[in-house]
Amino acid sequence: MREPLLPPAPTEEDDLLVRSYVVHGIMLKMLRRDIDTLHTLSLKMPTLYIRSLGLIEKETSRNLWSVRQKLRVHGIRISEETRKSGGIEAVFMCRGYNRTLWLSWELIQKEAMNRLYRYSGSNLAAY
């Protein structure tokens, strides 16, 4: 008798895709909050700052769309994101396997800042 075929087990690449999805979502919320705050401030060049953050927001949205496409190709569906005091817990299904990924706030902040610097065209090595 043959054993039933099982889908491939989740990989580290799958976890990285979920992590990227969560981080991009947080980045979009941060950018939107900052853009809304800039509208309320009395600055000398508000349009420059708002447009700069708007361009980064568009790049982040494009990359989030790309990550969503990759999640679909990999057979990953995120069912829940729970914010807790130490970070975010993402519950997802990957090709039939239930998985959980924990991301600490420190990790999220570090990864978000690295991506934001990259999307803005800034060179971290210069600082």
Side-chain angles (χ1 to χ4, degrees), residues 78-124:
I78 298 173
S79 58
E80 185 180 343
E81 286 181 48
T82 308
R83 291 175 179 243
K84 298 186 177 185
S85 61
I88 294 180
E89 180 180 63
V91 178
F92 62 100
M93 184 170 280
C94 180
R95 296 182 293 278
Y97 296 93
N98 289 316
R99 305 270 294 174
T100 302
L101 183 69
W102 173 257
L103 301 170
S104 69
W105 288 119
E106 293 82 20
L107 177 91
I108 293 169
Q109 182 180 17
K110 182 179 175 185
E111 189 155 335
M113 291 306 294
N114 285 336
R115 288 176 190 263
L116 288 170
Y117 280 123
R118 195 172 35 214
Y119 297 164
S120 70
S122 297
N123 182 4
L124 281 177

Side-chain angles (χ1 to χ4, degrees), residues 17 20-21 24-25 28 60-78 81:
L17 280 173
S20 183
Y21 174 83
H24 276 89
L28 283 175
T60 303
S61 271
R62 276 193 293 264
N63 287 324
L64 178 57
W65 182 84
S66 175
V67 169
R68 284 182 176 150
Q69 295 302 314
K70 290 176 185 174
L71 288 171
R72 194 171 297 135
V73 168
H74 284 248
I76 300 170
R77 178 170 294 173
I78 298 173
E81 286 181 48

Side-chain angles (χ1 to χ4, degrees), residues 33-73:
R33 186 189 67 223
D34 287 355
I35 289 169
D36 291 343
T37 301
L38 285 173
H39 281 292
T40 65
L41 299 176
S42 156
L43 300 170
K44 298 287 184 189
M45 301 181 296
T47 306
L48 171 68
Y49 305 127
I50 291 168
R51 285 186 180 173
S52 296
L53 288 181
L55 289 172
I56 296 170
E57 184 181 36
K58 283 183 182 181
E59 179 71 19
T60 303
S61 271
R62 276 193 293 264
N63 287 324
L64 178 57
W65 182 84
S66 175
V67 169
R68 284 182 176 150
Q69 295 302 314
K70 290 176 185 174
L71 288 171
R72 194 171 297 135
V73 168

